[in-house]
Structures are given as C-alpha cells and as structure tokens.
Short mmCIF file of all heavy atoms in Angstrom, two decimals:
data_model
loop_
_atom_site.label_atom_id
_atom_site.label_comp_id
_atom_site.label_asym_id
_atom_site.label_seq_id
_atom_site.Cartn_x
_atom_site.Cartn_y
_atom_site.Cartn_z
N ARG A 23 127.93 89.33 104.37
CA ARG A 23 126.72 88.85 105.00
C ARG A 23 125.51 89.71 104.60
O ARG A 23 124.46 89.19 104.33
CB ARG A 23 126.92 88.83 106.51
CG ARG A 23 125.77 88.22 107.24
CD ARG A 23 126.07 88.07 108.70
NE ARG A 23 124.93 87.47 109.34
CZ ARG A 23 124.90 87.10 110.57
NH1 ARG A 23 125.95 87.28 111.33
NH2 ARG A 23 123.83 86.57 111.09
N VAL A 24 125.69 91.01 104.57
CA VAL A 24 124.61 91.90 104.17
C VAL A 24 124.22 91.63 102.72
O VAL A 24 123.04 91.59 102.40
CB VAL A 24 125.03 93.37 104.35
CG1 VAL A 24 124.00 94.31 103.75
CG2 VAL A 24 125.23 93.67 105.83
N GLU A 25 125.19 91.40 101.87
CA GLU A 25 124.88 91.12 100.46
C GLU A 25 124.03 89.87 100.32
O GLU A 25 123.13 89.82 99.51
CB GLU A 25 126.18 90.98 99.67
CG GLU A 25 126.94 92.27 99.52
CD GLU A 25 128.24 92.08 98.79
OE1 GLU A 25 128.29 91.25 97.88
OE2 GLU A 25 129.21 92.76 99.15
N ARG A 26 124.32 88.86 101.13
CA ARG A 26 123.55 87.63 101.08
C ARG A 26 122.09 87.89 101.46
O ARG A 26 121.17 87.38 100.84
CB ARG A 26 124.16 86.59 102.00
CG ARG A 26 123.53 85.22 101.82
CD ARG A 26 124.24 84.16 102.65
NE ARG A 26 123.23 83.43 103.34
CZ ARG A 26 123.19 83.18 104.63
NH1 ARG A 26 124.16 83.57 105.40
NH2 ARG A 26 122.21 82.52 105.16
N ARG A 27 121.88 88.70 102.49
CA ARG A 27 120.52 89.03 102.90
C ARG A 27 119.78 89.78 101.81
O ARG A 27 118.63 89.52 101.55
CB ARG A 27 120.53 89.86 104.18
CG ARG A 27 120.84 89.06 105.41
CD ARG A 27 120.69 89.92 106.63
NE ARG A 27 121.07 89.17 107.81
CZ ARG A 27 121.25 89.70 108.99
NH1 ARG A 27 121.10 91.00 109.16
NH2 ARG A 27 121.59 88.96 110.02
N GLN A 28 120.45 90.73 101.17
CA GLN A 28 119.81 91.48 100.11
C GLN A 28 119.46 90.56 98.95
O GLN A 28 118.40 90.68 98.35
CB GLN A 28 120.71 92.63 99.64
CG GLN A 28 120.80 93.74 100.67
CD GLN A 28 121.80 94.81 100.27
OE1 GLN A 28 122.60 94.62 99.37
NE2 GLN A 28 121.76 95.93 100.98
N PHE A 29 120.33 89.63 98.66
CA PHE A 29 120.06 88.66 97.60
C PHE A 29 118.85 87.81 97.97
O PHE A 29 117.97 87.58 97.16
CB PHE A 29 121.29 87.78 97.36
CG PHE A 29 121.08 86.74 96.31
CD1 PHE A 29 121.03 87.09 94.97
CD2 PHE A 29 120.91 85.41 96.64
CE1 PHE A 29 120.82 86.14 93.99
CE2 PHE A 29 120.71 84.45 95.67
CZ PHE A 29 120.67 84.82 94.34
N SER A 30 118.76 87.38 99.23
CA SER A 30 117.63 86.58 99.69
C SER A 30 116.34 87.36 99.59
O SER A 30 115.32 86.85 99.17
CB SER A 30 117.84 86.11 101.13
OG SER A 30 118.95 85.24 101.21
N MET A 31 116.37 88.63 99.99
CA MET A 31 115.17 89.45 99.92
C MET A 31 114.70 89.59 98.48
O MET A 31 113.50 89.59 98.22
CB MET A 31 115.44 90.84 100.51
CG MET A 31 115.49 90.86 102.01
SD MET A 31 113.90 90.52 102.74
CE MET A 31 112.97 91.93 102.15
N ALA A 32 115.61 89.71 97.56
CA ALA A 32 115.24 89.86 96.15
C ALA A 32 114.51 88.63 95.64
O ALA A 32 113.74 88.72 94.68
CB ALA A 32 116.48 90.13 95.32
N ASN A 33 114.72 87.50 96.26
CA ASN A 33 114.10 86.25 95.81
C ASN A 33 112.75 85.98 96.47
O ASN A 33 112.11 85.00 96.13
CB ASN A 33 115.04 85.08 96.06
CG ASN A 33 116.23 85.11 95.13
OD1 ASN A 33 116.15 85.62 94.03
ND2 ASN A 33 117.35 84.59 95.60
N LEU A 34 112.33 86.81 97.41
CA LEU A 34 111.05 86.59 98.07
C LEU A 34 109.91 87.15 97.22
O LEU A 34 109.99 88.26 96.72
CB LEU A 34 111.03 87.25 99.45
CG LEU A 34 111.96 86.65 100.50
CD1 LEU A 34 111.91 87.48 101.77
CD2 LEU A 34 111.60 85.21 100.79
N THR A 35 108.87 86.36 97.09
CA THR A 35 107.69 86.82 96.37
C THR A 35 106.84 87.69 97.29
O THR A 35 107.02 87.69 98.51
CB THR A 35 106.85 85.63 95.89
OG1 THR A 35 106.32 84.95 97.04
CG2 THR A 35 107.66 84.67 95.02
N SER A 36 105.91 88.40 96.72
CA SER A 36 105.01 89.22 97.54
C SER A 36 104.18 88.33 98.46
O SER A 36 103.88 88.72 99.59
CB SER A 36 104.10 90.09 96.67
OG SER A 36 103.29 89.31 95.84
N LYS A 37 103.85 87.14 98.02
CA LYS A 37 103.09 86.20 98.86
C LYS A 37 103.93 85.77 100.06
O LYS A 37 103.42 85.68 101.18
CB LYS A 37 102.68 84.98 98.03
CG LYS A 37 101.75 84.05 98.74
CD LYS A 37 101.26 82.95 97.80
CE LYS A 37 100.25 82.06 98.50
NZ LYS A 37 99.73 81.04 97.60
N GLU A 38 105.21 85.52 99.85
CA GLU A 38 106.10 85.15 100.94
C GLU A 38 106.30 86.31 101.91
O GLU A 38 106.31 86.12 103.13
CB GLU A 38 107.45 84.68 100.39
CG GLU A 38 107.37 83.36 99.67
CD GLU A 38 108.61 83.04 98.86
OE1 GLU A 38 109.27 83.97 98.34
OE2 GLU A 38 108.92 81.83 98.74
N LEU A 39 106.44 87.52 101.39
CA LEU A 39 106.57 88.69 102.25
C LEU A 39 105.32 88.91 103.08
O LEU A 39 105.40 89.26 104.26
CB LEU A 39 106.89 89.94 101.42
CG LEU A 39 108.30 90.01 100.86
CD1 LEU A 39 108.42 91.18 99.87
CD2 LEU A 39 109.32 90.14 101.97
N THR A 40 104.16 88.68 102.48
CA THR A 40 102.90 88.79 103.21
C THR A 40 102.84 87.75 104.32
O THR A 40 102.44 88.06 105.45
CB THR A 40 101.70 88.64 102.26
OG1 THR A 40 101.75 89.69 101.29
CG2 THR A 40 100.39 88.68 103.00
N ALA A 41 103.26 86.53 104.03
CA ALA A 41 103.26 85.47 105.03
C ALA A 41 104.21 85.82 106.18
O ALA A 41 103.87 85.61 107.36
CB ALA A 41 103.65 84.14 104.41
N LEU A 42 105.37 86.36 105.87
CA LEU A 42 106.32 86.77 106.92
C LEU A 42 105.75 87.91 107.74
O LEU A 42 105.91 87.94 108.97
CB LEU A 42 107.66 87.15 106.30
CG LEU A 42 108.50 85.98 105.80
CD1 LEU A 42 109.69 86.49 104.99
CD2 LEU A 42 108.97 85.12 106.96
N SER A 43 105.08 88.84 107.10
CA SER A 43 104.45 89.94 107.82
C SER A 43 103.37 89.42 108.77
O SER A 43 103.27 89.87 109.92
CB SER A 43 103.85 90.93 106.82
OG SER A 43 103.19 91.96 107.49
N ASP A 44 102.57 88.49 108.28
CA ASP A 44 101.54 87.88 109.12
C ASP A 44 102.16 87.17 110.32
O ASP A 44 101.65 87.26 111.44
CB ASP A 44 100.69 86.89 108.32
CG ASP A 44 99.78 87.57 107.30
OD1 ASP A 44 99.60 88.81 107.38
OD2 ASP A 44 99.28 86.85 106.41
N GLN A 45 103.27 86.47 110.09
CA GLN A 45 103.93 85.76 111.17
C GLN A 45 104.51 86.74 112.19
O GLN A 45 104.46 86.50 113.40
CB GLN A 45 105.02 84.84 110.63
CG GLN A 45 105.63 83.92 111.66
CD GLN A 45 104.63 82.93 112.23
OE1 GLN A 45 103.75 82.43 111.53
NE2 GLN A 45 104.74 82.65 113.52
N LEU A 46 105.05 87.86 111.71
CA LEU A 46 105.54 88.91 112.63
C LEU A 46 104.41 89.40 113.52
O LEU A 46 104.59 89.53 114.74
CB LEU A 46 106.12 90.08 111.84
CG LEU A 46 107.55 89.99 111.38
CD1 LEU A 46 107.87 91.12 110.42
CD2 LEU A 46 108.50 90.00 112.55
N ASP A 47 103.26 89.65 112.93
CA ASP A 47 102.09 90.09 113.71
C ASP A 47 101.70 89.04 114.74
O ASP A 47 101.40 89.36 115.89
CB ASP A 47 100.91 90.40 112.80
CG ASP A 47 101.10 91.64 111.96
OD1 ASP A 47 101.97 92.47 112.30
OD2 ASP A 47 100.38 91.78 110.95
N PHE A 48 101.69 87.79 114.33
CA PHE A 48 101.33 86.68 115.20
C PHE A 48 102.29 86.59 116.39
O PHE A 48 101.86 86.46 117.55
CB PHE A 48 101.35 85.38 114.38
CG PHE A 48 100.99 84.15 115.14
CD1 PHE A 48 99.70 83.94 115.60
CD2 PHE A 48 101.95 83.18 115.38
CE1 PHE A 48 99.37 82.78 116.30
CE2 PHE A 48 101.62 82.02 116.09
CZ PHE A 48 100.33 81.83 116.54
N GLU A 49 103.58 86.69 116.13
CA GLU A 49 104.58 86.62 117.20
C GLU A 49 104.44 87.80 118.16
O GLU A 49 104.55 87.64 119.37
CB GLU A 49 105.99 86.56 116.63
CG GLU A 49 106.30 85.32 115.81
CD GLU A 49 106.25 84.02 116.58
OE1 GLU A 49 106.29 84.01 117.82
OE2 GLU A 49 106.18 82.96 115.91
N ARG A 50 104.16 88.98 117.62
CA ARG A 50 103.99 90.17 118.46
C ARG A 50 102.77 90.01 119.37
O ARG A 50 102.83 90.29 120.57
CB ARG A 50 103.84 91.42 117.59
CG ARG A 50 103.70 92.70 118.37
CD ARG A 50 103.49 93.90 117.45
NE ARG A 50 102.41 93.71 116.50
CZ ARG A 50 101.12 93.81 116.78
NH1 ARG A 50 100.72 94.10 118.00
NH2 ARG A 50 100.21 93.62 115.84
N VAL A 51 101.67 89.53 118.81
CA VAL A 51 100.44 89.34 119.59
C VAL A 51 100.66 88.31 120.70
O VAL A 51 100.26 88.52 121.85
CB VAL A 51 99.26 88.93 118.68
CG1 VAL A 51 98.09 88.41 119.48
CG2 VAL A 51 98.84 90.10 117.80
N LEU A 52 101.31 87.20 120.37
CA LEU A 52 101.55 86.18 121.39
C LEU A 52 102.46 86.70 122.49
O LEU A 52 102.23 86.43 123.68
CB LEU A 52 102.14 84.91 120.76
CG LEU A 52 101.13 84.06 120.01
CD1 LEU A 52 101.82 82.89 119.33
CD2 LEU A 52 100.04 83.55 120.94
N HIS A 53 103.48 87.45 122.12
CA HIS A 53 104.36 88.05 123.11
C HIS A 53 103.55 88.91 124.08
O HIS A 53 103.67 88.78 125.30
CB HIS A 53 105.45 88.88 122.43
CG HIS A 53 106.27 89.69 123.36
ND1 HIS A 53 107.19 89.14 124.22
CD2 HIS A 53 106.33 91.02 123.57
CE1 HIS A 53 107.76 90.09 124.93
NE2 HIS A 53 107.26 91.24 124.55
N CYS A 54 102.69 89.76 123.54
CA CYS A 54 101.86 90.64 124.37
C CYS A 54 100.88 89.85 125.24
O CYS A 54 100.66 90.20 126.41
CB CYS A 54 101.10 91.63 123.49
SG CYS A 54 102.18 92.86 122.72
N LYS A 55 100.30 88.80 124.70
CA LYS A 55 99.35 88.00 125.48
C LYS A 55 100.03 87.30 126.65
O LYS A 55 99.48 87.24 127.75
CB LYS A 55 98.65 86.97 124.59
CG LYS A 55 97.61 87.60 123.70
CD LYS A 55 96.81 86.56 122.95
CE LYS A 55 95.81 87.24 122.07
NZ LYS A 55 94.46 86.80 122.28
N TYR A 56 101.23 86.78 126.42
CA TYR A 56 101.95 86.13 127.52
C TYR A 56 102.38 87.14 128.57
O TYR A 56 102.37 86.85 129.77
CB TYR A 56 103.13 85.31 127.01
CG TYR A 56 102.71 83.96 126.48
CD1 TYR A 56 102.83 83.64 125.13
CD2 TYR A 56 102.17 82.99 127.32
CE1 TYR A 56 102.43 82.40 124.64
CE2 TYR A 56 101.77 81.76 126.85
CZ TYR A 56 101.90 81.47 125.51
OH TYR A 56 101.50 80.24 125.04
N LEU A 57 102.75 88.35 128.14
CA LEU A 57 103.08 89.39 129.11
C LEU A 57 101.86 89.76 129.95
O LEU A 57 101.97 89.98 131.16
CB LEU A 57 103.64 90.63 128.42
CG LEU A 57 105.04 90.52 127.85
CD1 LEU A 57 105.44 91.84 127.20
CD2 LEU A 57 106.05 90.12 128.91
N ALA A 58 100.70 89.83 129.32
CA ALA A 58 99.46 90.11 130.05
C ALA A 58 99.16 88.99 131.04
O ALA A 58 98.73 89.25 132.18
CB ALA A 58 98.30 90.29 129.07
N ALA A 59 99.40 87.75 130.63
CA ALA A 59 99.18 86.61 131.52
C ALA A 59 100.10 86.68 132.74
O ALA A 59 99.70 86.32 133.85
CB ALA A 59 99.37 85.30 130.77
N VAL A 60 101.33 87.15 132.54
CA VAL A 60 102.27 87.32 133.66
C VAL A 60 101.66 88.29 134.67
O VAL A 60 101.69 88.04 135.88
CB VAL A 60 103.64 87.85 133.16
CG1 VAL A 60 104.49 88.34 134.31
CG2 VAL A 60 104.38 86.77 132.38
N GLN A 61 101.11 89.39 134.19
CA GLN A 61 100.54 90.41 135.07
C GLN A 61 99.32 89.91 135.84
O GLN A 61 99.06 90.33 136.95
CB GLN A 61 100.17 91.66 134.27
CG GLN A 61 101.34 92.34 133.61
CD GLN A 61 102.39 92.80 134.62
OE1 GLN A 61 102.06 93.39 135.63
NE2 GLN A 61 103.64 92.51 134.33
N GLU A 62 98.57 89.01 135.23
CA GLU A 62 97.33 88.52 135.83
C GLU A 62 97.53 87.33 136.75
O GLU A 62 96.66 87.03 137.56
CB GLU A 62 96.33 88.16 134.73
CG GLU A 62 95.88 89.35 133.91
CD GLU A 62 95.00 88.97 132.75
OE1 GLU A 62 94.49 87.83 132.73
OE2 GLU A 62 94.83 89.81 131.85
N SER A 63 98.63 86.67 136.65
CA SER A 63 98.87 85.45 137.42
C SER A 63 99.49 85.75 138.78
O SER A 63 100.23 86.72 138.94
CB SER A 63 99.78 84.50 136.65
OG SER A 63 99.95 83.30 137.35
N GLN A 64 99.17 84.89 139.74
CA GLN A 64 99.79 84.98 141.06
C GLN A 64 100.61 83.73 141.37
O GLN A 64 101.32 83.68 142.37
CB GLN A 64 98.72 85.19 142.13
CG GLN A 64 98.01 86.52 141.96
CD GLN A 64 96.97 86.75 143.03
OE1 GLN A 64 96.90 86.03 144.02
NE2 GLN A 64 96.14 87.77 142.83
N ASP A 65 100.52 82.74 140.51
CA ASP A 65 101.25 81.49 140.68
C ASP A 65 102.65 81.66 140.08
O ASP A 65 102.80 81.89 138.88
CB ASP A 65 100.49 80.38 139.95
CG ASP A 65 101.13 79.01 140.07
OD1 ASP A 65 102.37 78.91 139.94
OD2 ASP A 65 100.39 78.03 140.27
N GLN A 66 103.66 81.54 140.91
CA GLN A 66 105.03 81.79 140.46
C GLN A 66 105.48 80.81 139.36
O GLN A 66 106.23 81.19 138.47
CB GLN A 66 106.01 81.73 141.64
CG GLN A 66 105.90 82.92 142.57
CD GLN A 66 106.14 84.23 141.84
OE1 GLN A 66 107.08 84.36 141.06
NE2 GLN A 66 105.28 85.21 142.08
N GLU A 67 105.01 79.59 139.43
CA GLU A 67 105.37 78.62 138.39
C GLU A 67 104.79 79.04 137.03
O GLU A 67 105.46 78.98 136.01
CB GLU A 67 104.88 77.22 138.77
CG GLU A 67 105.37 76.15 137.84
CD GLU A 67 104.98 74.74 138.29
OE1 GLU A 67 104.60 74.56 139.46
OE2 GLU A 67 105.05 73.84 137.44
N LEU A 68 103.52 79.47 137.05
CA LEU A 68 102.89 79.94 135.81
C LEU A 68 103.56 81.22 135.31
O LEU A 68 103.79 81.38 134.11
CB LEU A 68 101.40 80.19 136.03
CG LEU A 68 100.51 78.97 136.06
CD1 LEU A 68 99.06 79.37 136.36
CD2 LEU A 68 100.59 78.19 134.77
N ILE A 69 103.87 82.12 136.23
CA ILE A 69 104.54 83.37 135.84
C ILE A 69 105.84 83.05 135.11
O ILE A 69 106.14 83.63 134.06
CB ILE A 69 104.79 84.26 137.07
CG1 ILE A 69 103.46 84.85 137.56
CG2 ILE A 69 105.79 85.36 136.75
CD1 ILE A 69 103.56 85.57 138.88
N SER A 70 106.60 82.12 135.64
CA SER A 70 107.86 81.73 135.03
C SER A 70 107.64 81.15 133.63
O SER A 70 108.36 81.50 132.68
CB SER A 70 108.58 80.72 135.91
OG SER A 70 109.77 80.29 135.31
N LYS A 71 106.64 80.31 133.48
CA LYS A 71 106.35 79.71 132.18
C LYS A 71 105.86 80.77 131.19
O LYS A 71 106.26 80.78 130.02
CB LYS A 71 105.33 78.59 132.31
CG LYS A 71 105.89 77.35 132.99
CD LYS A 71 104.86 76.25 133.09
CE LYS A 71 105.38 75.10 133.92
NZ LYS A 71 106.35 74.28 133.26
N PHE A 72 104.99 81.67 131.66
CA PHE A 72 104.50 82.74 130.79
C PHE A 72 105.63 83.66 130.35
O PHE A 72 105.69 84.08 129.20
CB PHE A 72 103.41 83.56 131.50
CG PHE A 72 102.12 82.83 131.72
CD1 PHE A 72 101.31 83.14 132.81
CD2 PHE A 72 101.69 81.83 130.86
CE1 PHE A 72 100.11 82.49 133.02
CE2 PHE A 72 100.49 81.16 131.07
CZ PHE A 72 99.69 81.49 132.16
N GLN A 73 106.55 83.97 131.27
CA GLN A 73 107.69 84.81 130.91
C GLN A 73 108.57 84.13 129.88
O GLN A 73 109.06 84.76 128.94
CB GLN A 73 108.51 85.16 132.16
CG GLN A 73 107.83 86.18 133.05
CD GLN A 73 108.56 86.38 134.36
OE1 GLN A 73 109.19 85.47 134.89
NE2 GLN A 73 108.45 87.58 134.90
N SER A 74 108.76 82.83 130.04
CA SER A 74 109.55 82.06 129.09
C SER A 74 108.89 82.08 127.70
O SER A 74 109.57 82.27 126.68
CB SER A 74 109.71 80.63 129.59
OG SER A 74 110.41 79.86 128.66
N CYS A 75 107.59 81.89 127.67
CA CYS A 75 106.86 81.91 126.39
C CYS A 75 106.92 83.30 125.76
O CYS A 75 107.13 83.41 124.54
CB CYS A 75 105.42 81.48 126.59
SG CYS A 75 105.22 79.72 126.95
N ALA A 76 106.75 84.33 126.57
CA ALA A 76 106.83 85.71 126.05
C ALA A 76 108.20 85.96 125.44
O ALA A 76 108.32 86.53 124.36
CB ALA A 76 106.52 86.70 127.17
N SER A 77 109.22 85.52 126.14
CA SER A 77 110.59 85.70 125.66
C SER A 77 110.82 84.95 124.34
O SER A 77 111.44 85.48 123.42
CB SER A 77 111.58 85.23 126.72
OG SER A 77 112.88 85.37 126.28
N GLN A 78 110.31 83.75 124.26
CA GLN A 78 110.47 82.96 123.03
C GLN A 78 109.80 83.64 121.85
O GLN A 78 110.36 83.71 120.75
CB GLN A 78 109.91 81.55 123.21
CG GLN A 78 110.06 80.68 121.98
CD GLN A 78 111.52 80.46 121.61
OE1 GLN A 78 112.31 80.02 122.43
NE2 GLN A 78 111.89 80.80 120.38
N HIS A 79 108.60 84.17 122.05
CA HIS A 79 107.91 84.83 120.95
C HIS A 79 108.57 86.16 120.59
O HIS A 79 108.60 86.54 119.41
CB HIS A 79 106.42 85.01 121.28
CG HIS A 79 105.69 83.70 121.21
ND1 HIS A 79 105.45 83.04 120.03
CD2 HIS A 79 105.19 82.90 122.19
CE1 HIS A 79 104.82 81.91 120.27
NE2 HIS A 79 104.66 81.80 121.58
N ARG A 80 109.15 86.85 121.57
CA ARG A 80 109.92 88.06 121.26
C ARG A 80 111.14 87.69 120.43
O ARG A 80 111.47 88.36 119.45
CB ARG A 80 110.34 88.78 122.55
CG ARG A 80 111.06 90.10 122.27
CD ARG A 80 111.63 90.74 123.52
NE ARG A 80 112.67 89.88 124.06
CZ ARG A 80 112.69 89.40 125.30
NH1 ARG A 80 111.74 89.68 126.15
NH2 ARG A 80 113.67 88.62 125.70
N ASN A 81 111.80 86.60 120.79
CA ASN A 81 112.97 86.14 120.02
C ASN A 81 112.57 85.74 118.60
O ASN A 81 113.29 86.04 117.65
CB ASN A 81 113.66 84.97 120.73
CG ASN A 81 114.36 85.40 121.99
OD1 ASN A 81 114.65 86.57 122.20
ND2 ASN A 81 114.63 84.44 122.87
N ASN A 82 111.44 85.06 118.48
CA ASN A 82 110.95 84.69 117.15
C ASN A 82 110.70 85.94 116.31
O ASN A 82 111.06 85.99 115.13
CB ASN A 82 109.64 83.88 117.25
CG ASN A 82 109.84 82.52 117.86
OD1 ASN A 82 110.95 82.05 118.03
ND2 ASN A 82 108.73 81.88 118.21
N TYR A 83 110.06 86.93 116.91
CA TYR A 83 109.77 88.19 116.23
C TYR A 83 111.07 88.85 115.75
O TYR A 83 111.19 89.24 114.60
CB TYR A 83 109.00 89.12 117.17
CG TYR A 83 108.69 90.46 116.57
CD1 TYR A 83 107.52 90.67 115.86
CD2 TYR A 83 109.58 91.53 116.71
CE1 TYR A 83 107.23 91.91 115.30
CE2 TYR A 83 109.30 92.76 116.14
CZ TYR A 83 108.13 92.95 115.45
OH TYR A 83 107.87 94.17 114.88
N ASN A 84 112.03 88.95 116.66
CA ASN A 84 113.30 89.59 116.32
C ASN A 84 114.06 88.83 115.24
O ASN A 84 114.68 89.44 114.36
CB ASN A 84 114.18 89.76 117.57
CG ASN A 84 113.64 90.83 118.49
OD1 ASN A 84 112.96 91.75 118.07
ND2 ASN A 84 113.93 90.70 119.76
N THR A 85 114.00 87.51 115.28
CA THR A 85 114.66 86.70 114.25
C THR A 85 114.05 86.96 112.89
O THR A 85 114.77 87.17 111.90
CB THR A 85 114.56 85.20 114.60
OG1 THR A 85 115.23 84.97 115.85
CG2 THR A 85 115.18 84.33 113.52
N LEU A 86 112.73 86.97 112.82
CA LEU A 86 112.05 87.25 111.55
C LEU A 86 112.35 88.67 111.07
O LEU A 86 112.64 88.89 109.88
CB LEU A 86 110.54 87.08 111.70
CG LEU A 86 110.03 85.65 111.78
CD1 LEU A 86 108.56 85.64 112.18
CD2 LEU A 86 110.24 84.92 110.48
N LEU A 87 112.31 89.62 111.99
CA LEU A 87 112.58 91.01 111.61
C LEU A 87 114.00 91.18 111.08
O LEU A 87 114.22 91.84 110.07
CB LEU A 87 112.35 91.91 112.82
CG LEU A 87 112.31 93.40 112.56
CD1 LEU A 87 111.19 93.75 111.57
CD2 LEU A 87 112.14 94.16 113.86
N ASN A 88 114.95 90.54 111.74
CA ASN A 88 116.34 90.63 111.28
C ASN A 88 116.52 89.98 109.92
O ASN A 88 117.33 90.43 109.11
CB ASN A 88 117.29 89.99 112.30
CG ASN A 88 117.45 90.86 113.53
OD1 ASN A 88 117.28 92.08 113.49
ND2 ASN A 88 117.76 90.22 114.64
N TYR A 89 115.77 88.94 109.65
CA TYR A 89 115.83 88.29 108.34
C TYR A 89 115.36 89.25 107.25
O TYR A 89 115.91 89.28 106.14
CB TYR A 89 114.97 87.02 108.34
CG TYR A 89 114.93 86.35 107.00
CD1 TYR A 89 116.01 85.61 106.53
CD2 TYR A 89 113.81 86.45 106.18
CE1 TYR A 89 115.99 85.00 105.28
CE2 TYR A 89 113.78 85.84 104.93
CZ TYR A 89 114.87 85.12 104.50
OH TYR A 89 114.84 84.53 103.27
N LEU A 90 114.37 90.05 107.57
CA LEU A 90 113.78 90.96 106.58
C LEU A 90 114.61 92.22 106.37
O LEU A 90 114.42 92.94 105.40
CB LEU A 90 112.36 91.34 106.98
CG LEU A 90 111.35 90.19 106.90
CD1 LEU A 90 110.02 90.60 107.51
CD2 LEU A 90 111.17 89.74 105.46
N ARG A 91 115.51 92.49 107.28
CA ARG A 91 116.34 93.72 107.16
C ARG A 91 117.44 93.55 106.16
O ARG A 91 117.94 92.58 105.84
CB ARG A 91 116.93 94.10 108.51
CG ARG A 91 115.89 94.66 109.43
CD ARG A 91 116.49 95.11 110.71
NE ARG A 91 115.44 95.69 111.53
CZ ARG A 91 115.54 95.81 112.84
NH1 ARG A 91 116.60 95.40 113.47
NH2 ARG A 91 114.56 96.35 113.51
#
C-alpha cells in the first residue's frame, strides 16, 4: 500500500501539488471557522450543524494529508 502511494506521488505535477496544498489550506480554514461559529452560537441546533461541518472539514483535511504522505 505504501508503494502505491509513493508511485502516485511521483506522478503528481507541481501544479497538482499546489492545488492540493491550496485545498488543505481551505479545509483547515473552514474547520476553524465552523469551530468559531460553535463558540459564538447559543442555538443548540446550529451548534450541532456547525460541529458537524467542522468535523467534515477536519476529515477532508486528514484525507488529503494522508494522500500526500
């Protein structure tokens, strides 16, 4: 499995790596924004939705990061 990932990484262009890096930044920012929204909200329904969105963006970030490793 590790060999397959290394082979995939070798096939990525610098433009693709830049795009993945940009997407990592985007996912990190969204995760942080939803966490901030959780702190600012008093509506339990919104808090739940914001937490769900934060979790999804954290998962997206981790998935992309694991792909790059």
Side-chain angles (χ1 to χ4, degrees):
R23 186 173 180 174
V24 172
E25 291 177 35
R26 189 174 132 231
R27 284 186 184 169
Q28 288 174 347
F29 179 73
S30 296
M31 284 293 296
N33 290 331
L34 292 175
T35 66
S36 61
K37 188 174 184 178
E38 291 167 328
L39 287 171
T40 299
L42 286 170
S43 177
D44 290 346
Q45 188 64 37
L46 276 170
D47 290 341
F48 181 69
E49 296 297 343
R50 182 183 52 78
V51 166
L52 284 175
H53 172 71
C54 291
K55 285 187 181 234
Y56 280 114
L57 287 180
V60 167
Q61 297 300 314
E62 295 174 16
S63 183
Q64 295 181 11
D65 181 317
Q66 288 302 314
E67 187 175 344
L68 283 177
I69 288 171
S70 177
K71 289 181 187 286
F72 291 151
Q73 286 173 329
S74 177
C75 289
S77 179
Q78 181 62 55
H79 287 290
R80 184 187 64 236
N81 290 341
N82 292 349
Y83 179 90
N84 288 334
T85 299
L86 286 170
L87 192 60
N88 287 335
Y89 177 75
L90 291 172
R91 287 184 178 158

